[in-house]
Amino acid sequence: MPELPEVETVRRGLAEHVVGRTVTRAAFFGARVTRRHPPGPEDLAAQLAGARVAAAERRGKYLWLVMEPGRGDQPDRAPAAFALIVHLGMSGQLLVEPPDAPVEAHLRAAFDLAGDAPGPGPGGGSGGGPGWVGTQLRFVDQRTFGGMALADLVPAPGRPGGVPQTITHIAPDPLESAYDQRAVVAAMKRRQSAVKRALLDQSLVSGIGNIYADEALWAAKVHGERPCAALSRPALARVLTAAREVMERALEAGGTSFDALYVNVNGASGYFDRSLHAYGQVGRPCARCGAPIRREAFMNRSSYSCPRCQPRPRLAGRV
DNA sequence: CTTTTCTCCTGTATGC
DNA sequence: TGCATACAGGAGAAAA
Protein backbone atom coordinates (compact mmCIF):
# COMPACT_ATOMS: atom_id res chain seq x y z
CA MET A 1 0.00 0.00 0.00
CA PRO A 2 1.72 3.15 -1.12
CA GLU A 3 2.13 5.69 1.61
CA LEU A 4 4.63 8.54 1.68
CA PRO A 5 7.87 6.51 1.43
CA GLU A 6 6.63 4.42 -1.47
CA VAL A 7 5.28 7.44 -3.32
CA GLU A 8 8.55 9.31 -2.80
CA THR A 9 10.44 6.36 -4.24
CA VAL A 10 8.25 6.50 -7.31
CA ARG A 11 8.77 10.27 -7.55
CA ARG A 12 12.52 9.79 -7.57
CA GLY A 13 12.17 7.24 -10.32
CA LEU A 14 10.13 9.69 -12.35
CA ALA A 15 12.67 12.45 -11.75
CA GLU A 16 15.38 10.22 -13.12
CA HIS A 17 13.61 8.57 -16.03
CA VAL A 18 10.79 10.85 -17.15
CA VAL A 19 11.63 14.47 -16.33
CA GLY A 20 13.05 16.23 -19.37
CA ARG A 21 11.13 14.14 -21.84
CA THR A 22 8.14 15.15 -23.95
CA VAL A 23 4.83 13.34 -24.08
CA THR A 24 4.13 12.71 -27.75
CA ARG A 25 0.93 10.75 -27.17
CA ALA A 26 -1.25 9.82 -24.21
CA ALA A 27 -3.97 7.18 -23.98
CA PHE A 28 -6.32 6.18 -21.18
CA PHE A 29 -8.13 2.91 -20.71
CA GLY A 30 -11.34 2.71 -18.73
CA ALA A 31 -13.36 5.58 -17.33
CA ARG A 32 -12.34 5.36 -13.69
CA VAL A 33 -8.72 6.39 -14.11
CA THR A 34 -9.77 9.89 -15.22
CA ARG A 35 -12.78 10.27 -12.92
CA ARG A 36 -11.08 13.19 -11.14
CA HIS A 37 -10.63 14.97 -14.45
CA PRO A 38 -14.15 16.19 -15.27
CA PRO A 39 -13.47 17.10 -18.93
CA GLY A 40 -12.71 13.44 -19.52
CA PRO A 41 -9.94 11.28 -20.94
CA GLU A 42 -9.96 12.80 -24.43
CA ASP A 43 -9.33 16.26 -23.03
CA LEU A 44 -6.60 14.91 -20.76
CA ALA A 45 -4.85 13.20 -23.66
CA ALA A 46 -5.12 16.27 -25.87
CA GLN A 47 -3.65 18.60 -23.28
CA LEU A 48 -0.74 16.30 -22.54
CA ALA A 49 0.24 15.74 -26.16
CA GLY A 50 3.32 17.77 -26.97
CA ALA A 51 3.93 18.86 -23.38
CA ARG A 52 7.32 18.49 -21.72
CA VAL A 53 7.78 17.04 -18.26
CA ALA A 54 9.57 19.77 -16.32
CA ALA A 55 9.58 18.30 -12.82
CA ALA A 56 8.24 15.51 -10.61
CA GLU A 57 6.77 16.71 -7.32
CA ARG A 58 5.07 15.16 -4.32
CA ARG A 59 3.08 16.14 -1.27
CA GLY A 60 1.95 13.34 1.01
CA LYS A 61 0.67 10.53 -1.15
CA TYR A 62 0.02 12.77 -4.15
CA LEU A 63 2.42 12.93 -7.07
CA TRP A 64 2.35 15.44 -9.86
CA LEU A 65 4.34 16.08 -12.99
CA VAL A 66 4.87 19.73 -13.87
CA MET A 67 4.05 19.96 -17.56
CA GLU A 68 5.18 22.68 -19.96
CA PRO A 69 2.81 22.87 -22.91
CA GLY A 70 4.26 22.73 -26.38
CA ARG A 71 4.36 26.07 -28.14
CA GLY A 72 1.64 25.81 -30.71
CA ASP A 73 0.07 28.96 -32.10
CA GLN A 74 1.98 31.48 -30.05
CA PRO A 75 5.69 30.70 -30.25
CA ASP A 76 6.68 33.99 -28.61
CA ARG A 77 4.62 33.46 -25.47
CA ALA A 78 5.14 30.40 -23.34
CA PRO A 79 1.82 29.04 -21.98
CA ALA A 80 1.62 28.47 -18.25
CA ALA A 81 2.82 25.19 -16.81
CA PHE A 82 0.20 22.88 -15.35
CA ALA A 83 0.17 19.77 -13.19
CA LEU A 84 -0.61 16.19 -14.10
CA ILE A 85 -1.72 14.80 -10.76
CA VAL A 86 -1.14 11.09 -10.15
CA HIS A 87 -2.50 9.24 -7.17
CA LEU A 88 -1.50 5.61 -6.83
CA GLY A 89 -4.45 4.67 -4.66
CA MET A 90 -3.79 1.28 -3.17
CA SER A 91 -2.50 -0.70 -6.07
CA GLY A 92 -1.17 1.82 -8.58
CA GLN A 93 2.19 1.36 -10.27
CA LEU A 94 4.13 3.56 -12.66
CA LEU A 95 6.33 1.64 -15.06
CA VAL A 96 8.89 2.89 -17.55
CA GLU A 97 9.07 0.38 -20.36
CA PRO A 98 9.72 -0.08 -24.06
CA PRO A 99 6.56 0.53 -26.09
CA ASP A 100 6.42 -3.08 -27.24
CA ALA A 101 6.47 -4.53 -23.75
CA PRO A 102 3.50 -6.85 -23.11
CA VAL A 103 0.33 -5.05 -22.11
CA GLU A 104 -0.39 -5.43 -18.41
CA ALA A 105 -3.73 -6.82 -17.26
CA HIS A 106 -4.78 -3.56 -15.58
CA LEU A 107 -3.14 -0.98 -17.79
CA ARG A 108 -4.98 2.33 -17.24
CA ALA A 109 -2.79 4.84 -19.08
CA ALA A 110 0.20 4.92 -21.42
CA PHE A 111 2.33 7.90 -22.45
CA ASP A 112 4.78 7.78 -25.33
CA LEU A 113 7.88 9.73 -24.38
CA ALA A 114 10.40 11.39 -26.68
CA GLY A 115 13.81 12.77 -25.84
CA ASP A 116 16.46 11.76 -23.39
CA ALA A 117 16.09 12.01 -19.68
CA PRO A 118 18.97 13.78 -17.93
CA GLY A 119 21.25 11.86 -15.63
CA PRO A 120 22.37 8.25 -15.73
CA GLY A 121 19.13 6.70 -16.84
CA PRO A 122 18.28 4.65 -19.92
CA GLY A 123 18.84 6.54 -23.10
CA GLY A 124 20.92 8.99 -21.16
CA GLY A 125 23.77 8.80 -23.61
CA SER A 126 25.58 6.67 -26.08
CA GLY A 127 26.98 4.16 -23.62
CA GLY A 128 25.02 1.73 -21.49
CA GLY A 129 21.27 1.56 -21.29
CA PRO A 130 18.97 -0.70 -23.25
CA GLY A 131 18.99 1.53 -26.28
CA TRP A 132 15.24 1.75 -26.72
CA VAL A 133 13.84 3.33 -29.80
CA GLY A 134 11.16 4.85 -27.61
CA THR A 135 9.93 4.80 -24.06
CA GLN A 136 6.53 4.48 -22.49
CA LEU A 137 5.37 5.59 -19.08
CA ARG A 138 2.56 3.28 -18.02
CA PHE A 139 0.07 3.48 -15.18
CA VAL A 140 -1.11 0.07 -14.03
CA ASP A 141 -3.71 -0.14 -11.27
CA GLN A 142 -5.48 -3.34 -10.36
CA ARG A 143 -8.16 -1.81 -8.16
CA THR A 144 -8.32 1.62 -9.80
CA PHE A 145 -8.51 3.52 -6.55
CA GLY A 146 -5.83 5.69 -8.07
CA GLY A 147 -6.17 8.07 -10.98
CA MET A 148 -4.92 11.01 -12.99
CA ALA A 149 -6.16 14.57 -13.46
CA LEU A 150 -4.96 17.97 -14.62
CA ALA A 151 -4.85 21.05 -12.40
CA ASP A 152 -3.46 24.56 -12.43
CA LEU A 153 -0.49 25.26 -10.19
CA VAL A 154 -1.05 27.84 -7.48
CA PRO A 155 1.51 29.43 -5.13
CA ALA A 156 2.14 27.70 -1.80
CA PRO A 157 4.52 28.45 1.08
CA GLY A 158 7.77 26.56 0.80
CA ARG A 159 6.89 25.23 -2.64
CA PRO A 160 8.61 27.32 -5.35
CA GLY A 161 6.82 25.48 -8.13
CA GLY A 162 3.44 25.80 -6.44
CA VAL A 163 0.96 23.02 -5.77
CA PRO A 164 -2.00 21.81 -7.84
CA GLN A 165 -5.11 23.83 -7.12
CA THR A 166 -7.29 20.76 -6.56
CA ILE A 167 -5.13 19.37 -3.76
CA THR A 168 -4.56 22.51 -1.72
CA HIS A 169 -6.55 20.86 1.07
CA ILE A 170 -3.72 18.33 1.48
CA ALA A 171 -1.48 19.43 4.34
CA PRO A 172 2.31 19.49 4.11
CA ASP A 173 3.89 16.14 4.90
CA PRO A 174 6.54 15.59 7.59
CA LEU A 175 9.40 15.49 5.07
CA GLU A 176 8.87 18.88 3.45
CA SER A 177 10.10 22.28 4.57
CA ALA A 178 6.60 23.72 4.85
CA TYR A 179 5.80 21.19 7.56
CA ASP A 180 5.29 22.88 10.92
CA GLN A 181 5.04 20.25 13.63
CA ARG A 182 4.20 22.74 16.35
CA ALA A 183 1.22 23.92 14.32
CA VAL A 184 0.11 20.32 13.74
CA VAL A 185 0.37 19.56 17.46
CA ALA A 186 -1.73 22.64 18.23
CA ALA A 187 -4.35 21.58 15.67
CA MET A 188 -4.42 18.05 17.04
CA LYS A 189 -4.96 19.38 20.55
CA ARG A 190 -8.20 20.95 19.33
CA ARG A 191 -9.42 17.77 17.64
CA GLN A 192 -12.40 15.91 19.03
CA SER A 193 -11.28 12.54 17.73
CA ALA A 194 -8.95 9.68 18.43
CA VAL A 195 -5.27 10.22 17.69
CA LYS A 196 -5.13 7.59 14.95
CA ARG A 197 -7.96 9.21 13.05
CA ALA A 198 -6.08 12.48 13.22
CA LEU A 199 -2.89 10.87 11.91
CA LEU A 200 -4.83 9.56 8.93
CA ASP A 201 -6.45 12.92 8.17
CA GLN A 202 -4.53 14.22 5.17
CA SER A 203 -5.73 17.78 5.77
CA LEU A 204 -3.91 17.81 9.10
CA VAL A 205 -0.66 16.09 8.15
CA SER A 206 -0.27 14.16 4.93
CA GLY A 207 1.48 11.01 3.83
CA ILE A 208 0.52 8.76 6.74
CA GLY A 209 -1.63 5.70 6.06
CA ASN A 210 -2.72 2.76 8.14
CA ILE A 211 0.70 1.09 8.18
CA TYR A 212 2.80 4.04 9.28
CA ALA A 213 0.12 5.26 11.67
CA ASP A 214 0.33 1.95 13.53
CA GLU A 215 4.12 1.99 13.43
CA ALA A 216 4.30 5.56 14.74
CA LEU A 217 1.85 4.83 17.56
CA TRP A 218 3.81 1.73 18.51
CA ALA A 219 7.07 3.68 18.57
CA ALA A 220 5.50 6.41 20.71
CA LYS A 221 3.77 3.86 22.97
CA VAL A 222 0.36 5.43 22.42
CA HIS A 223 -2.91 3.62 21.74
CA GLY A 224 -4.61 4.97 18.63
CA GLU A 225 -7.99 5.25 20.34
CA ARG A 226 -6.72 7.79 22.84
CA PRO A 227 -8.42 11.14 22.27
CA CYS A 228 -6.13 13.81 20.88
CA ALA A 229 -7.18 16.27 23.54
CA ALA A 230 -6.26 13.80 26.29
CA LEU A 231 -2.64 13.63 25.13
CA SER A 232 -0.08 16.19 26.17
CA ARG A 233 1.59 18.33 23.56
CA PRO A 234 4.90 16.52 24.07
CA ALA A 235 3.13 13.19 23.64
CA LEU A 236 1.52 14.37 20.41
CA ALA A 237 4.91 15.63 19.27
CA ARG A 238 6.43 12.24 20.01
CA VAL A 239 3.81 10.54 17.87
CA LEU A 240 4.44 12.91 14.96
CA THR A 241 8.20 12.66 15.30
CA ALA A 242 7.88 8.88 15.32
CA ALA A 243 5.80 9.06 12.15
CA ARG A 244 8.45 11.14 10.43
CA GLU A 245 11.26 8.86 11.58
CA VAL A 246 9.56 5.63 10.61
CA MET A 247 8.81 7.01 7.16
CA GLU A 248 12.38 8.23 6.74
CA ARG A 249 13.67 4.77 7.58
CA ALA A 250 11.23 3.14 5.19
CA LEU A 251 12.36 5.52 2.48
CA GLU A 252 15.96 4.52 3.03
CA ALA A 253 15.02 0.86 2.84
CA GLY A 254 12.88 1.25 -0.26
CA GLY A 255 14.76 3.86 -2.15
CA THR A 256 17.25 1.58 -3.78
CA SER A 257 15.07 -1.23 -5.01
CA PHE A 258 14.02 0.02 -8.43
CA ASP A 259 16.40 -0.41 -11.31
CA ALA A 260 16.88 1.65 -14.42
CA LEU A 261 13.93 0.19 -16.27
CA TYR A 262 11.40 0.10 -13.59
CA VAL A 263 9.61 2.56 -11.35
CA ASN A 264 7.62 0.23 -9.21
CA VAL A 265 5.70 1.00 -6.09
CA ASN A 266 5.24 -2.61 -5.08
CA GLY A 267 8.94 -3.30 -5.20
CA ALA A 268 9.70 -0.02 -3.55
CA SER A 269 9.58 -1.08 0.03
CA GLY A 270 11.52 -3.98 1.37
CA TYR A 271 10.55 -2.38 4.63
CA PHE A 272 7.39 -4.42 4.92
CA ASP A 273 9.01 -7.72 5.72
CA ARG A 274 11.92 -6.65 7.85
CA SER A 275 11.17 -3.65 9.97
CA LEU A 276 7.50 -3.52 10.89
CA HIS A 277 6.95 -3.67 14.62
CA ALA A 278 3.16 -3.56 14.78
CA TYR A 279 1.34 -3.53 11.45
CA GLY A 280 0.33 -7.03 10.41
CA GLN A 281 2.28 -8.59 13.29
CA VAL A 282 -0.66 -10.03 15.20
CA GLY A 283 0.46 -12.73 17.63
CA ARG A 284 4.15 -12.03 17.20
CA PRO A 285 6.07 -10.74 20.22
CA CYS A 286 6.47 -7.01 20.70
CA ALA A 287 10.09 -6.09 19.98
CA ARG A 288 10.22 -4.08 23.20
CA CYS A 289 8.39 -6.16 25.77
CA GLY A 290 7.57 -9.50 24.17
CA ALA A 291 3.81 -9.31 24.63
CA PRO A 292 1.96 -10.65 21.59
CA ILE A 293 0.85 -7.89 19.21
CA ARG A 294 -2.94 -7.59 19.08
CA ARG A 295 -5.28 -6.71 16.28
CA GLU A 296 -8.37 -4.58 16.81
CA ALA A 297 -11.12 -3.42 14.46
CA PHE A 298 -10.80 0.18 13.37
CA MET A 299 -12.89 2.00 10.78
CA ASN A 300 -13.81 -1.18 8.92
CA ARG A 301 -10.21 -2.28 8.86
CA SER A 302 -7.55 -3.17 11.41
CA SER A 303 -5.23 -1.62 13.92
CA TYR A 304 -2.22 -3.40 15.35
CA SER A 305 -0.63 -2.52 18.66
CA CYS A 306 1.15 -3.87 21.71
CA PRO A 307 -1.27 -4.58 24.56
CA ARG A 308 1.37 -3.80 27.18
CA CYS A 309 3.18 -0.80 25.68
CA GLN A 310 0.00 0.74 24.27
CA PRO A 311 -2.79 0.24 26.78
CA ARG A 312 -6.29 1.11 25.66
CA PRO A 313 -7.73 4.32 27.08
CA ARG A 314 -10.11 3.62 29.93
CA LEU A 315 -12.92 5.59 28.36
CA ALA A 316 -12.60 4.35 24.84
CA GLY A 317 -15.58 6.05 23.29
CA ARG A 318 -18.22 8.50 24.37
CA VAL A 319 -21.89 8.09 23.54
C1' DC B 1 -17.90 23.78 10.74
C1' DT B 2 -16.54 19.16 12.54
C1' DT B 3 -16.67 14.32 12.59
C1' DT B 4 -18.20 9.80 11.01
C1' DT B 5 -19.82 6.53 7.63
C1' DC B 6 -20.19 4.79 3.14
C1' DT B 7 -18.45 3.57 -1.39
C1' DC B 8 -15.46 2.63 -5.11
C1' DC B 9 -12.45 -1.97 -6.97
C1' DT B 10 -10.35 -6.84 -7.60
C1' DG B 11 -7.00 -10.40 -6.23
C1' DT B 12 -5.94 -13.45 -2.43
C1' DA B 13 -6.96 -16.19 1.53
C1' DT B 14 -10.14 -18.80 4.19
C1' DG B 15 -14.28 -21.56 5.37
C1' DC B 16 -17.88 -24.80 4.44
C1' DT C 1 -13.64 -28.82 -6.32
C1' DG C 2 -16.65 -24.97 -6.13
C1' DC C 3 -18.79 -21.24 -4.24
C1' DA C 4 -19.39 -17.58 -0.77
C1' DT C 5 -17.32 -14.47 2.21
C1' DA C 6 -13.79 -11.52 4.49
C1' DC C 7 -10.07 -8.62 3.81
C1' DA C 8 -6.76 -5.21 2.04
C1' DG C 9 -7.55 0.49 2.34
C1' DG C 10 -7.01 6.02 0.29
C1' DA C 11 -9.96 9.62 -0.27
C1' DG C 12 -13.94 12.06 -1.36
C1' DA C 13 -18.95 12.37 -1.11
C1' DA C 14 -22.66 12.09 1.81
C1' DA C 15 -24.64 11.88 6.18
C1' DA C 16 -24.95 13.01 11.00
Side-chain angles (χ1 to χ4, degrees):
Chain A
M1 280 56 73
E3 300 180 27
L4 187 154
E6 294 76 26
V7 178
E8 173 61 14
T9 299
V10 174
R11 189 202 65 78
R12 292 177 182 181
L14 290 170
E16 184 171 341
H17 301 299
V18 176
V19 168
R21 290 183 154 152
T22 296
V23 176
T24 56
R25 187 177 63 97
F28 297 91
F29 313 103
R32 281 187 57 78
V33 68
T34 56
R35 69 193 182 284
R36 304 284 181 216
H37 187 70
E42 297 82 6
D43 175 83
L44 189 40
Q47 296 210 49
L48 289 173
R52 177 179 170 273
V53 182
E57 303 281 336
R58 182 191 57 76
R59 166 166 277 181
K61 304 167 195 172
Y62 276 93
L63 281 171
W64 65 92
L65 297 176
V66 176
M67 306 299 298
E68 293 175 345
R71 300 193 181 190
D73 301 336
Q74 296 171 305
D76 54 331
R77 201 168 112 189
F82 60 90
L84 170 65
I85 300 172
V86 182
H87 199 291
L88 300 173
M90 295 173 35
S91 54
Q93 299 170 283
L94 287 169
L95 310 174
V96 177
E97 297 182 309
D100 58 358
V103 172
E104 290 80 4
H106 301 290
L107 181 66
R108 309 301 184 191
F111 302 160
D112 287 331
L113 301 176
D116 288 347
S126 51
W132 298 334
V133 176
T135 300
Q136 267 190 359
L137 176 65
R138 295 183 181 184
F139 181 59
V140 176
D141 189 359
Q142 174 194 110
R143 277 171 273 189
T144 331
F145 277 33
M148 295 183 167
L150 297 188
D152 293 327
L153 288 159
V154 297
R159 302 297 300 237
V163 301
Q165 195 276 328
T166 51
I167 62 165
T168 51
H169 62 291
I170 302 297
D173 66 61
L175 300 193
E176 66 180 287
S177 64
Y179 177 69
D180 180 350
Q181 182 160 293
R182 290 176 63 182
V184 176
V185 167
M188 287 180 80
K189 255 300 196 187
R190 295 191 293 268
R191 281 271 162 140
Q192 296 298 310
S193 72
V195 62
K196 183 169 175 181
R197 285 181 185 272
L199 284 179
L200 295 175
D201 185 340
Q202 306 297 301
S203 67
L204 199 55
V205 52
S206 69
I208 304 171
N210 201 40
I211 296 168
Y212 295 109
D214 279 1
E215 292 300 307
L217 290 165
W218 179 88
K221 303 185 189 179
V222 171
H223 193 285
E225 288 295 343
R226 292 183 68 183
C228 286
L231 290 163
S232 68
R233 287 166 196 271
L236 290 168
R238 281 195 293 274
V239 172
L240 289 166
T241 297
R244 177 174 55 76
E245 290 174 346
V246 73
M247 291 195 293
E248 283 173 345
R249 285 198 296 271
L251 185 53
E252 288 175 23
T256 58
S257 64
F258 61 82
D259 64 22
L261 310 187
Y262 203 44
V263 186
N264 180 3
V265 61
N266 286 345
S269 183
Y271 191 72
F272 279 18
D273 298 337
R274 290 192 284 277
S275 302
L276 293 178
H277 290 112
Y279 179 83
Q281 305 300 302
V282 62
R284 300 182 62 183
C286 170
R288 271 191 306 254
C289 76
I293 296 293
R294 71 182 155 200
R295 170 182 161 179
E296 296 171 298
F298 172 79
M299 289 172 72
N300 282 327
R301 40 194 67 109
S302 299
S303 286
Y304 301 88
S305 59
C306 171
R308 191 178 300 165
C309 303
Q310 301 166 265
R312 285 190 63 88
R314 294 208 291 156
L315 295 174
R318 292 180 301 123
V319 181

